[in-house]
Amino acid sequence: MNLKYIEPFIAATIHVLETMAFTQATAGEAYLKDDQTAMGDVSGIIGMTGKESSGTLSVSFTKNSILAIVSNMFGDEITELNNEIKDAVGEITNMISGQARQKLEEMGKSLDAAIPTVITGINHSIKHITTYPIIAVPFSTDNGDFTIEICLEEEGVSLRRKIGRETP
Amino acid sequence: MASEMCVLIVDDFSIMRGIIRRMLLKEFGTNNIFEAEDGITAWQILSSEKIDLVLCDWNMPNMTGLDLLEKVRAHKDFSKVPFIMITAEGKKENVIEATKKGVSGYIIKPFTAKDLRKKLSPIFQTGE
């Protein structure tokens, strides 16, 4: 996976949250993630497939961040991780995937997406559908943090080298 | 005509149906709305209610928005009903595919109330 393929996901994340939840999200530095433990309390995961590669996008929110985001989306304050929150996480994941895939298509990489799934719970696991490197990008908002993870087949070796980690 | 229009919102995510419902109420004063979580339920509602406008997601379980569009356009009673895709699928090939199957308009998620108003105003003004 080339690092240039990460940028559309970062831009899509910022755009989706700004447009649908009036939330400003700031991206931190991307890093290689070595384990499957989610960096949040609720995660949306979506599979992406194309002719030349496939992969996974996940979005993991801390409780505080997602409660604020969904409260903004709904226009009502939500205080618990309920089904509406899970629903919203799925839709946010879907929209980030869609926006990013639109940009990736312009870059010559066409991917289709499946229907997202949502997992909740402390220290839940995220299983990406490929064994290629997982790139995590942390985001901060005024009400808490969240993290996106991208795992795409193809050119994984070059990405791992770019980030300064040894290829297994 | 605008206030009498009956709208069917089809999306597997309830939060998105709720957001669209609130936007329709705010922008057009419309509260005559049915909701469906997939194409199969939407088809049942279309068959039993007088629907003037369909707002439909693309990726849904059981029956996709594109399959529903095809079915709607093939049926003599619904072939002229305005059918707007509201979807995260913004790739050119998706838009072209939906256009070929007779979609009336295309709104890419995420969207604002202004986007929705711009796309739907002609339909609400003419009622068709």
Side-chain angles (χ1 to χ4, degrees):
Chain A
M1 177 170 50
N2 193 308
L3 269 181
K4 70 179 180 183
Y5 295 135
I6 300 298
E7 281 302 323
F9 290 96
I10 295 173
T13 301
I14 292 169
H15 179 58
V16 166
L17 290 179
E18 191 171 25
T19 306
M20 298 304 297
F22 318 106
T23 298
Q24 299 294 324
T26 304
E29 196 168 333
Y31 61 94
L32 262 176
K33 187 164 177 282
D34 289 328
D35 62 42
Q36 295 184 341
T37 306
M39 306 296 287
D41 304 302
V42 54
S43 298
I45 304 160
I46 191 165
M48 299 173 289
T49 56
K51 286 178 183 170
E52 296 168 358
S53 66
S54 60
T56 327
L57 163 72
S58 70
V59 190
S60 296
F61 294 93
T62 58
K63 183 179 177 181
N64 285 347
S65 69
I66 195 60
L67 288 177
I69 287 166
V70 179
S71 295
N72 280 350
M73 287 174 80
F74 256 142
D76 292 321
E77 188 178 3
I78 297 174
T79 56
E80 290 180 23
L81 290 182
N82 54 21
N83 285 336
E84 287 173 333
I85 295 286
K86 289 166 72 173
D87 214 42
V89 170
E91 184 61 68
I92 289 168
T93 307
N94 186 43
M95 286 189 280
I96 293 172
S97 158
Q99 280 280 302
R101 286 184 293 108
Q102 201 177 330
K103 292 286 183 194
L104 288 172
E105 186 192 36
E106 294 169 10
M107 296 163 69
K109 192 178 190 66
S110 182
L111 293 167
D112 292 320
I115 292 170
T117 55
V118 178
I119 305 171
T120 58
I122 298 169
N123 294 328
H124 63 268
S125 294
I126 298 172
K127 290 184 180 175
H128 291 276
I129 62 171
T130 81
T131 55
Y132 282 74
I134 301 164
I135 309 304
V137 183
F139 284 84
S140 59
T141 73
D142 287 344
N143 294 291
D145 301 335
F146 67 93
T147 302
I148 66 169
E149 296 176 15
I150 303 116
C151 183
L152 288 176
E153 287 178 347
E154 198 180 59
E155 301 176 67
V157 173
S158 63
L159 176 65
R160 192 169 276 263
R161 282 181 182 155
K162 277 185 178 178
I163 294 189
R165 299 286 287 271
E166 191 178 334
T167 304
Chain B
M1 182 67 189
S3 61
E4 297 170 359
M5 283 191 76
C6 186
V7 183
L8 172 59
I9 303 171
V10 192
D11 198 307
D12 51 334
F13 289 107
S14 65
I15 189 164
M16 187 51 66
R17 299 197 302 269
I19 287 170
I20 296 170
R21 175 186 277 274
R22 279 194 298 279
M23 284 183 177
L24 288 173
L25 181 61
K26 187 181 173 192
E27 298 295 328
F28 300 105
T30 301
N31 206 16
N32 191 9
I33 294 168
F34 287 89
E35 295 184 17
E37 61 186 18
D38 59 29
I40 292 175
T41 310
W43 183 254
Q44 290 167 351
I45 294 171
L46 274 161
S47 303
S48 61
E49 306 292 338
K50 169 80 175 67
I51 301 296
D52 301 303
L53 169 64
V54 179
L55 305 177
C56 187
D57 188 18
W58 185 301
N59 279 331
M60 295 178 292
N62 303 325
M63 184 194 288
T64 68
L66 199 67
D67 291 339
L68 178 65
L69 170 63
E70 200 166 13
K71 200 167 178 176
V72 164
R73 286 294 175 256
H75 196 288
K76 62 179 174 58
D77 292 343
F78 314 131
S79 63
K80 301 293 183 190
V81 173
F83 193 112
I84 308 287
M85 280 282 185
I86 302 184
T87 172
E89 296 301 324
K91 294 195 301 178
K92 276 183 190 170
E93 64 189 61
N94 295 122
V95 180
I96 290 168
E97 196 174 0
T99 303
K100 281 181 180 172
K101 290 189 186 297
V103 78
S104 313
Y106 209 96
I107 298 172
I108 296 172
K109 297 175 184 174
F111 59 93
T112 62
K114 189 179 173 184
D115 297 328
L116 194 74
R117 186 172 65 238
K118 187 178 175 184
K119 196 66 78 172
L120 300 186
S121 283
I123 296 170
F124 274 86
Q125 281 167 11
T126 62
E128 59 185 41

